[in-house]
Amino acid sequence: MGRLVLLLAALALAGSSAAAAKPRTITVRNAKGFTHAAAKLRRSGGTIVLRPGAYASLSLGPRGKRPLRVVGDGDVRVGRFELFRTRNVSIGNLRIG
């Protein structure tokens, strides 16, 4: 009985620390990497960092409630950025168009 209580307490602590974990950050170098990162962060939220360069077209589709940040790291140019049924998305430090 004592071991069961200890196990349940440990699981409860693990769950609460996972919920308090910092949002995940994924750095990408191209549109394919962006698509992959967006899929990974669809439900959890987090940050996608775009490495310097030109991205012809990026798109984000439907996602969960948690915030997603898309930020450029230096000189980032995106030709077209499509948002389809998204929410809680912020975009910064890049040029579009």
Side-chain angles (χ1 to χ4, degrees):
M1 179 72 169
R3 287 184 181 172
L4 179 60
V5 171
L6 184 59
L7 177 62
L8 291 175
L11 289 174
L13 286 175
S16 66
S17 65
K22 292 174 74 175
R24 186 169 178 190
T25 299
I26 300 175
T27 302
V28 301
R29 299 178 186 282
N30 54 40
K32 184 177 179 181
F34 177 83
T35 301
H36 182 72
K40 281 195 166 273
L41 299 176
R42 181 176 181 189
R43 287 185 179 22
S44 65
T47 302
I48 300 174
V49 178
L50 303 173
R51 299 291 296 155
Y55 299 78
S57 180
L58 300 177
S59 62
L60 273 175
R63 38 174 301 94
K65 295 179 182 178
R66 295 183 186 224
L68 176 69
R69 296 177 57 225
V70 179
V71 295
D73 180 22
D75 185 25
V76 175
R77 296 171 312 282
V78 178
R80 183 170 74 181
F81 206 130
E82 297 178 325
L83 302 174
F84 176 71
R85 295 179 56 201
T86 61
R87 57 183 165 181
N88 296 324
V89 175
S90 65
I91 301 168
N93 201 31
L94 56 89
R95 290 184 289 165
I96 300 174

